[in-house]
């Protein structure tokens, strides 16, 4: 479910997203292989936005974002507990695909549905002007939130996090901090890049704490 803290345009967008069936009734390419179940948290008070990829199988079943081991790791990276993470007045969550996209032949998640970005994201972001920091998790979120400021790949984009935070803040909108996905599939990547834990994570925790007023 797309939950919302706020009224007016933002509440209307949440209502529309919850009822959305574009990827079934008018899909770009193959239809969504199951009934839509959008999962997001919109807020007109949260200063922090988590921009991920799309719900996975566990989130599709639970209806709550990041109710899986990836969510546990992400909360550890951010230095916050589950109660804070799931407080929509403080943390907004908007994945690039609102619904679980299904699995490919190898059992991996398919890419986020393009219909979501084209239909909802610009309008939702415009309705949350109070957001000060976006955590852009993975390449799909980084393509959208960084645009031409994105580097040649995920590793280089995350490695240039200091410059990217400054460059995005200078655009006049929220600062964007690029992150890898907290999935276990990235354990080898994390081991190859110890600067992520040593340098980026302390900055992340400090920025999250500042946006949450804790």
């Amino acid at each position: 479910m797309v939950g919302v803290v706020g009224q007016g345009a933002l509440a209307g967008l949440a209502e529309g997203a919850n009822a959305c069936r574009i990827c079934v009734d008018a899909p770009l390419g193959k239809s969504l292989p199951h009934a839509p179940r959008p999962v997001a948290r919109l807020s007109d008070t949260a200063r922090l936005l988590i921009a991920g990829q799309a719900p996975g199988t566990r989130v599709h079943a639970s209806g709550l974002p990041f109710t899986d081991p990836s969510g546990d790791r992400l909360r550890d990276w951010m230095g916050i507990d589950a109660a804070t993470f799931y407080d929509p007045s403080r943390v907004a969550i908007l994945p690039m695909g609102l619904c679980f996209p299904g699995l490919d032949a190898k059992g991996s998640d398919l890419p986020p549905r393009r219909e979501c970005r084209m239909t909802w994201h610009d309008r939702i972001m415009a309705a949350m002007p109070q957001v000060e920091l976006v955590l852009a998790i993975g390449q799909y979120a980084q393509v959208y939130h960084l645009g031409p400021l994105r580097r040649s790949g995920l590793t280089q984009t995350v490695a240039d996090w200091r410059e990217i935070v400054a460059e995005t803040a200078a655009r006049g909108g929220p600062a964007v901090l690029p992150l890898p996905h907290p999935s276990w599939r990235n354990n080898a990547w994390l081991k190859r890049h110890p600067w992520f834990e040593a340098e980026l994570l302390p900055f992340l925790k400090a920025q999250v704490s500042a946006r949450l007023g804790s």
Side-chain angles (χ1 to χ4, degrees), residues 80-109:
I80 61 176
D81 58 18
T84 303
F85 185 86
Y86 289 113
D87 180 352
S89 70
R90 305 174 78 188
V91 179
I93 303 174
L94 180 63
M96 294 311 302
L98 298 181
C99 295
F100 171 51
L103 302 174
D104 63 19
K106 297 181 179 179
S108 298
D109 290 357

Side-chain angles (χ1 to χ4, degrees), residues 93-168:
I93 303 174
L94 180 63
M96 294 311 302
L98 298 181
C99 295
F100 171 51
L103 302 174
D104 63 19
K106 297 181 179 179
S108 298
D109 290 357
L110 290 167
R113 301 291 304 203
R114 292 177 293 160
E115 297 93 333
C116 290
R117 174 182 54 79
M118 296 170 64
T119 305
W120 300 110
H121 280 70
D122 287 354
R123 290 190 287 163
I124 290 174
M125 289 303 299
M128 297 194 297
Q130 84 288 343
V131 170
E132 298 176 0
L133 178 66
V134 175
L135 305 184
I137 300 172
Q139 63 173 329
Y140 295 101
Q142 290 161 17
V143 166
Y144 177 79
H145 287 281
L146 295 178
L149 297 181
R150 179 176 177 264
R151 298 341 191 218
S152 59
L154 184 139
T155 296
Q156 191 58 53
T157 300
V158 178
D160 285 357
W161 60 271
R162 293 180 181 85
E163 293 83 359
I164 286 175
V165 168
E167 290 166 0
T168 50

Side-chain angles (χ1 to χ4, degrees), residues 19-28 31-32 36 115:
C20 182
R21 289 182 54 85
I22 293 174
C23 55
V24 172
D25 297 337
L28 297 174
S31 175
L32 190 72
E115 297 93 333

